[in-house]
mmCIF file of all heavy atoms in Angstrom:
data_model
loop_
_atom_site.group_PDB
_atom_site.id
_atom_site.type_symbol
_atom_site.label_atom_id
_atom_site.label_comp_id
_atom_site.label_asym_id
_atom_site.label_seq_id
_atom_site.Cartn_x
_atom_site.Cartn_y
_atom_site.Cartn_z
ATOM 1 N N THR A 358 35.852 -3.131 -21.172
ATOM 2 C CA THR A 358 35.033 -3.915 -22.095
ATOM 3 C C THR A 358 35.616 -5.302 -22.333
ATOM 4 O O THR A 358 34.878 -6.252 -22.600
ATOM 5 C CB THR A 358 34.894 -3.191 -23.448
ATOM 6 O OG1 THR A 358 36.200 -2.955 -23.996
ATOM 7 C CG2 THR A 358 34.164 -1.872 -23.291
ATOM 8 N N VAL A 359 36.921 -5.419 -22.220
ATOM 9 C CA VAL A 359 37.570 -6.721 -22.425
ATOM 10 C C VAL A 359 37.129 -7.705 -21.349
ATOM 11 O O VAL A 359 36.766 -8.853 -21.635
ATOM 12 C CB VAL A 359 39.113 -6.578 -22.426
ATOM 13 C CG1 VAL A 359 39.773 -7.957 -22.487
ATOM 14 C CG2 VAL A 359 39.569 -5.717 -23.593
ATOM 15 N N LEU A 360 37.143 -7.266 -20.086
ATOM 16 C CA LEU A 360 36.699 -8.130 -18.987
ATOM 17 C C LEU A 360 35.214 -8.434 -19.106
ATOM 18 O O LEU A 360 34.784 -9.558 -18.861
ATOM 19 C CB LEU A 360 37.007 -7.473 -17.642
ATOM 20 C CG LEU A 360 36.603 -8.275 -16.398
ATOM 21 C CD1 LEU A 360 37.259 -9.658 -16.404
ATOM 22 C CD2 LEU A 360 36.961 -7.517 -15.126
ATOM 23 N N PHE A 361 34.425 -7.430 -19.495
ATOM 24 C CA PHE A 361 32.987 -7.660 -19.678
ATOM 25 C C PHE A 361 32.758 -8.771 -20.697
ATOM 26 O O PHE A 361 31.993 -9.715 -20.454
ATOM 27 C CB PHE A 361 32.300 -6.373 -20.133
ATOM 28 C CG PHE A 361 30.832 -6.539 -20.428
ATOM 29 C CD1 PHE A 361 29.893 -6.452 -19.414
ATOM 30 C CD2 PHE A 361 30.391 -6.798 -21.719
ATOM 31 C CE1 PHE A 361 28.537 -6.615 -19.673
ATOM 32 C CE2 PHE A 361 29.031 -6.965 -21.996
ATOM 33 C CZ PHE A 361 28.107 -6.861 -20.967
ATOM 34 N N SER A 362 33.423 -8.673 -21.833
ATOM 35 C CA SER A 362 33.273 -9.681 -22.881
ATOM 36 C C SER A 362 33.730 -11.053 -22.401
ATOM 37 O O SER A 362 33.096 -12.072 -22.697
ATOM 38 C CB SER A 362 34.087 -9.259 -24.112
ATOM 39 O OG SER A 362 34.030 -10.235 -25.114
ATOM 40 N N ALA A 363 34.813 -11.072 -21.613
ATOM 41 C CA ALA A 363 35.324 -12.344 -21.101
ATOM 42 C C ALA A 363 34.328 -13.000 -20.155
ATOM 43 O O ALA A 363 34.150 -14.226 -20.171
ATOM 44 C CB ALA A 363 36.664 -12.109 -20.394
ATOM 45 N N ILE A 364 33.678 -12.182 -19.318
ATOM 46 C CA ILE A 364 32.687 -12.728 -18.381
ATOM 47 C C ILE A 364 31.484 -13.274 -19.147
ATOM 48 O O ILE A 364 30.961 -14.350 -18.816
ATOM 49 C CB ILE A 364 32.252 -11.646 -17.367
ATOM 50 C CG1 ILE A 364 33.410 -11.307 -16.425
ATOM 51 C CG2 ILE A 364 31.043 -12.122 -16.571
ATOM 52 C CD1 ILE A 364 33.118 -10.159 -15.475
ATOM 53 N N ILE A 365 31.048 -12.551 -20.188
ATOM 54 C CA ILE A 365 29.929 -13.038 -21.000
ATOM 55 C C ILE A 365 30.286 -14.392 -21.603
ATOM 56 O O ILE A 365 29.486 -15.347 -21.560
ATOM 57 C CB ILE A 365 29.591 -12.032 -22.127
ATOM 58 C CG1 ILE A 365 29.089 -10.701 -21.542
ATOM 59 C CG2 ILE A 365 28.544 -12.629 -23.080
ATOM 60 C CD1 ILE A 365 27.789 -10.780 -20.796
ATOM 61 N N SER A 366 31.489 -14.504 -22.134
ATOM 62 C CA SER A 366 31.931 -15.774 -22.730
ATOM 63 C C SER A 366 32.007 -16.883 -21.684
ATOM 64 O O SER A 366 31.633 -18.042 -21.946
ATOM 65 C CB SER A 366 33.302 -15.596 -23.398
ATOM 66 O OG SER A 366 33.226 -14.681 -24.475
ATOM 67 N N GLU A 367 32.490 -16.527 -20.486
ATOM 68 C CA GLU A 367 32.570 -17.504 -19.395
ATOM 69 C C GLU A 367 31.186 -18.009 -19.004
ATOM 70 O O GLU A 367 30.989 -19.213 -18.783
ATOM 71 C CB GLU A 367 33.242 -16.867 -18.183
ATOM 72 C CG GLU A 367 33.301 -17.777 -16.960
ATOM 73 C CD GLU A 367 33.668 -17.023 -15.690
ATOM 74 O OE1 GLU A 367 34.296 -15.956 -15.790
ATOM 75 O OE2 GLU A 367 33.292 -17.503 -14.601
ATOM 76 N N ILE A 368 30.237 -17.093 -18.921
ATOM 77 C CA ILE A 368 28.868 -17.477 -18.559
ATOM 78 C C ILE A 368 28.282 -18.408 -19.615
ATOM 79 O O ILE A 368 27.641 -19.417 -19.301
ATOM 80 C CB ILE A 368 27.990 -16.224 -18.395
ATOM 81 C CG1 ILE A 368 28.462 -15.394 -17.198
ATOM 82 C CG2 ILE A 368 26.520 -16.626 -18.210
ATOM 83 C CD1 ILE A 368 27.799 -14.033 -17.088
ATOM 84 N N ILE A 369 28.498 -18.073 -20.888
ATOM 85 C CA ILE A 369 27.995 -18.905 -21.977
ATOM 86 C C ILE A 369 28.610 -20.306 -21.908
ATOM 87 O O ILE A 369 27.922 -21.317 -22.066
ATOM 88 C CB ILE A 369 28.316 -18.270 -23.349
ATOM 89 C CG1 ILE A 369 27.585 -16.934 -23.520
ATOM 90 C CG2 ILE A 369 27.968 -19.234 -24.489
ATOM 91 C CD1 ILE A 369 26.089 -17.039 -23.566
ATOM 92 N N LYS A 370 29.900 -20.373 -21.637
ATOM 93 C CA LYS A 370 30.623 -21.648 -21.625
ATOM 94 C C LYS A 370 30.268 -22.514 -20.432
ATOM 95 O O LYS A 370 30.035 -23.727 -20.574
ATOM 96 C CB LYS A 370 32.130 -21.374 -21.631
ATOM 97 C CG LYS A 370 32.979 -22.627 -21.606
ATOM 98 C CD LYS A 370 34.460 -22.290 -21.587
ATOM 99 C CE LYS A 370 35.324 -23.540 -21.523
ATOM 100 N NZ LYS A 370 36.773 -23.203 -21.490
ATOM 101 N N ASN A 371 30.219 -21.906 -19.249
ATOM 102 C CA ASN A 371 30.065 -22.685 -18.015
ATOM 103 C C ASN A 371 28.636 -22.804 -17.506
ATOM 104 O O ASN A 371 28.375 -23.550 -16.569
ATOM 105 C CB ASN A 371 30.942 -22.089 -16.915
ATOM 106 C CG ASN A 371 32.411 -22.163 -17.244
ATOM 107 O OD1 ASN A 371 32.855 -23.085 -17.924
ATOM 108 N ND2 ASN A 371 33.178 -21.180 -16.796
ATOM 109 N N GLY A 372 27.711 -22.065 -18.110
ATOM 110 C CA GLY A 372 26.325 -22.164 -17.680
ATOM 111 C C GLY A 372 26.074 -21.488 -16.346
ATOM 112 O O GLY A 372 26.826 -20.605 -15.923
ATOM 113 N N PHE A 373 25.034 -21.938 -15.650
ATOM 114 C CA PHE A 373 24.583 -21.249 -14.451
ATOM 115 C C PHE A 373 24.514 -22.154 -13.234
ATOM 116 O O PHE A 373 23.709 -21.958 -12.344
ATOM 117 C CB PHE A 373 23.201 -20.623 -14.713
ATOM 118 C CG PHE A 373 23.149 -19.837 -15.989
ATOM 119 C CD1 PHE A 373 22.440 -20.315 -17.072
ATOM 120 C CD2 PHE A 373 23.833 -18.639 -16.115
ATOM 121 C CE1 PHE A 373 22.401 -19.605 -18.259
ATOM 122 C CE2 PHE A 373 23.804 -17.927 -17.293
ATOM 123 C CZ PHE A 373 23.085 -18.403 -18.379
ATOM 124 N N ASN A 374 25.329 -23.199 -13.214
ATOM 125 C CA ASN A 374 25.325 -24.100 -12.072
ATOM 126 C C ASN A 374 25.638 -23.353 -10.781
ATOM 127 O O ASN A 374 26.569 -22.557 -10.708
ATOM 128 C CB ASN A 374 26.354 -25.214 -12.272
ATOM 129 C CG ASN A 374 25.949 -26.168 -13.382
ATOM 130 O OD1 ASN A 374 24.768 -26.314 -13.664
ATOM 131 N ND2 ASN A 374 26.921 -26.813 -14.011
ATOM 132 N N GLY A 375 24.829 -23.615 -9.764
ATOM 133 C CA GLY A 375 25.059 -22.992 -8.469
ATOM 134 C C GLY A 375 24.414 -21.626 -8.322
ATOM 135 O O GLY A 375 24.506 -21.019 -7.262
ATOM 136 N N MET A 376 23.775 -21.141 -9.392
ATOM 137 C CA MET A 376 23.166 -19.824 -9.327
ATOM 138 C C MET A 376 21.703 -19.903 -8.884
ATOM 139 O O MET A 376 20.794 -19.465 -9.579
ATOM 140 C CB MET A 376 23.262 -19.136 -10.708
ATOM 141 C CG MET A 376 24.674 -18.852 -11.151
ATOM 142 S SD MET A 376 25.559 -17.773 -9.999
ATOM 143 C CE MET A 376 27.126 -17.607 -10.832
#
Side-chain angles (χ1 to χ4, degrees):
T358 58
V359 174
L360 180 57
F361 176 85
S362 177
I364 291 175
I365 295 295
S366 296
E367 177 193 336
I368 294 171
I369 296 295
K370 179 181 178 181
N371 297 329
F373 311 109
N374 291 334
M376 296 300 182

